[in-house]
């Protein structure tokens, strides 16, 4: 062997040995033999589609405000609700409980998934917060609120991280469009296998980044959905309508200003998700809650047809998982609007 080749080989030995030592160290720290091996994301079955019984159920989880797990105390709870023992783990138990009871086809995490000021490590907090969805292998989608980015990751990094997590169908932004923010994307829910509409989206879901904080004329306020996002929404909606005029739901975190004027009017369609997390805002003796959105297809003579109705209700984290605030958001026979919006409960 030539002296130059030998010298080059010797120069390679220290970094190679270092890599082997680091790999061995990782094995010692985590005895799982697969821990140090490259890992491929566990993907959700795409496209998402209605079940064989013609139904599709979405669990909306708003404002988990997850921090550091057992070390993060509950907020705004009565002393008899756990007191000092109440923590982020109560949020995790509630999420597992609802998943087991409702068996959703999709979970929509609609912002403030973590509470940045209480989360020492944003990635670790996200993994803990979303873990029940991954444990039960439920497809899930997420958007950001106004507190998620207050820890150790930017909004772009958070959306990228969530898009790479197991069973996530989240996206950073739509390809081919320049839009404001991070977490603007569309998910189509296709017809069930065996139906004539197996390759057609029968329900369109839009996820939008409503931002965090803005300063307008020197006044600090909350963010809002920008014109570039609305342009993408209109373009995508018009393109999808060329195939089928299907109803749609939009999920975002910060409510639109019109909600104030419609709150006491009896209008149906502007839906708050309900405060889910135990480290989020609430009131003593006011149970945390989740929203269910249940869609059903019309049954034809030979197969399932277009969407028939969309219903919604909330579930309380009490002894019975009590159901409240039931309403019909949309029914094909009524001629109601084909688009509804769902947001989180508060800032």
């Amino acid at each position: 062997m030539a002296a130059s080749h030998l010298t080059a080989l010797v120069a390679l030995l220290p970094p190679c040995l270092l890599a082997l030592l680091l790999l061995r160290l990782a094995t010692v720290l985590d005895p799982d033999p697969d821990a140090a091996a490259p890992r491929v994301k566990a993907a959700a079955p795409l496209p998402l589609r209605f079940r064989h019984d013609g139904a599709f159920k979405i669990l909306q989880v708003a404002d988990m405000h997850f921090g550091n797990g057992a070390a993060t105390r509950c907020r705004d709870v009565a002393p008899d609700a756990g007191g000092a023992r109440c923590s982020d783990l109560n949020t995790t138990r509630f999420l597992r409980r609802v998943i087991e009871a409702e068996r959703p086809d999709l979970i929509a995490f609609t912002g403030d998934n973590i509470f940045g000021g209480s989360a020492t490590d944003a990635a670790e907090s996200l993994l803990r917060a979303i873990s029940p969805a991954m444990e039960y292998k439920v497809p899930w989608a997420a958007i950001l609120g106004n507190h998620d980015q207050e820890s150790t990751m930017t909004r772009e990094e958070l959306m990228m991280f969530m898009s790479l997590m197991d069973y996530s169908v989240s996206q950073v932004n739509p390809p081919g469009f320049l839009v404001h923010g991070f977490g603007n994307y569309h998910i189509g829910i296709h017809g069930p296998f065996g139906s004539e509409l197996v390759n057609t989206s029968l329900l369109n879901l839009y996820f939008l980044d409503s931002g965090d904080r803005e300063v307008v004329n020197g006044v600090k306020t909350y963010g809002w959905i920008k014109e570039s996002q609305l342009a993408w929404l209109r373009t995508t909606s018009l393109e999808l309508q060329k195939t089928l005029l299907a109803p749609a739901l939009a999920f975002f975190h910060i409510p639109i200003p019109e909600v104030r004027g419609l709150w006491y009017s009896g209008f149906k369609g502007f839906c708050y998700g309900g405060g889910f997390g135990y480290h989020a805002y609430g009131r003593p003796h006011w149970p945390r809650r989740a929203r269910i959105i249940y869609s059903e297809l019309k049954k034809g003579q030979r197969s399932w047809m277009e969407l028939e109705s969309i219903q919604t209700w909330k579930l309380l984290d009490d002894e019975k998982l009590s159901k409240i605030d039931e309403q019909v958001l949309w029914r094909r026979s009524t001629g109601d609007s084909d688009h509804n919006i769902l947001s989180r409960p508060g800032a």
Side-chain angles (χ1 to χ4, degrees):
M1 180 180 292
S4 60
H5 290 170
L6 181 61
T7 301
L9 180 60
V10 171
L12 284 174
L13 285 176
C16 290
L17 289 172
L18 178 60
L20 288 173
L21 286 172
L22 289 173
L23 183 61
R24 176 58 183 158
L25 178 61
T27 304
V28 171
L29 292 175
D30 191 338
D32 182 356
D34 297 325
R39 189 175 177 284
V40 178
K41 168 185 173 180
L46 293 175
L48 299 181
R49 59 181 68 254
F50 281 81
R51 303 192 303 248
H52 64 86
D53 62 353
F56 191 87
K57 184 183 290 185
I58 301 171
L59 164 62
Q60 184 189 2
V61 176
D63 285 67
M64 280 197 292
H65 278 224
F66 208 90
N68 293 320
T72 301
R73 301 270 70 85
C74 294
R75 178 175 179 174
D76 299 337
V77 297
D80 58 2
R85 298 188 305 276
C86 187
S87 70
D88 278 339
L89 300 186
N90 290 60
T91 302
T92 301
R93 283 192 287 269
F94 182 26
L95 182 52
R96 287 199 178 105
R97 187 183 182 201
V98 177
I99 291 175
E100 290 181 359
E102 294 292 329
R103 297 295 175 180
D105 302 293
L106 174 70
I107 303 176
F109 294 98
T110 52
D112 282 0
N113 309 301
I114 62 174
F115 191 67
S118 301
T120 304
D121 184 294
E124 181 65 25
S125 293
L126 269 176
L127 286 169
R128 291 183 180 184
I130 307 294
S131 62
M134 297 186 287
E135 290 169 11
Y136 286 90
K137 301 180 180 181
V138 182
W140 59 276
I143 50 176
L144 299 174
N146 51 291
H147 288 300
D148 294 278
Q149 78 291 337
E150 294 172 348
S151 180
T152 58
M153 299 173 74
T154 66
R155 296 178 74 81
E156 182 177 14
E157 290 169 342
L158 287 165
M159 281 308 308
M160 178 64 73
F161 185 74
M162 288 192 290
S163 72
L164 297 174
M165 291 168 66
D166 286 350
Y167 305 103
S168 171
V169 294
S170 309
Q171 301 172 36
V172 179
N173 266 332
F177 290 88
L178 184 62
V179 297
H180 178 85
F182 302 98
N184 303 284
Y185 55 100
H186 161 263
I187 297 175
I189 312 302
H190 287 219
F193 285 117
S195 71
E196 297 176 357
L197 298 171
V198 66
N199 295 319
T200 303
S201 178
L202 305 181
L203 175 64
N204 293 307
L205 308 179
Y206 296 97
F207 294 81
L208 297 161
D209 181 8
S210 55
D212 51 281
R213 289 286 194 170
E214 300 272 356
V215 177
V216 180
N217 297 325
V219 178
K220 193 173 183 180
T221 184
Y222 290 104
W224 61 88
I225 297 168
K226 304 297 195 297
E227 183 56 41
S228 63
Q229 297 166 276
L230 295 176
W232 162 75
L233 180 64
R234 285 190 290 265
T235 300
T236 305
S237 177
L238 290 173
E239 187 64 29
L240 289 168
Q241 289 178 30
K242 293 178 181 179
T243 303
L244 178 70
L245 185 60
L249 299 171
F251 295 86
F252 50 89
H253 185 74
I254 298 175
I256 59 177
E258 288 81 358
V259 167
R260 290 184 181 274
L262 294 169
W263 190 254
Y264 299 104
S265 70
F267 181 88
K268 293 184 179 180
F270 290 92
C271 295
Y272 272 14
F276 192 96
Y278 276 83
H279 188 54
Y281 319 115
R283 295 191 301 271
H285 305 292
W286 186 85
R288 265 47 178 188
R289 54 203 63 200
R291 179 173 291 281
I292 300 294
I293 302 108
Y294 184 75
S295 303
E296 288 184 297
L297 300 179
K298 181 180 179 180
K299 182 67 173 178
Q301 291 184 348
R302 294 185 299 176
S303 69
W304 293 107
M305 305 294 287
E306 300 170 345
L307 193 64
E308 177 71 19
S309 66
I310 304 174
Q311 304 172 60
T312 187
W313 58 86
K314 294 191 192 115
L315 293 177
L316 303 183
D317 191 18
D318 57 14
E319 292 184 3
K320 300 179 180 180
L321 275 181
S322 300
K323 181 189 292 188
I324 64 169
D325 297 342
E326 295 182 69
Q327 61 175 303
V328 176
L329 286 180
W330 181 89
R331 192 181 299 277
R332 181 164 295 278
S333 60
T334 63
D336 288 342
S337 170
D338 281 354
H339 295 79
N340 286 282
I341 62 173
L342 296 108
S343 64
R344 40 76 93 174

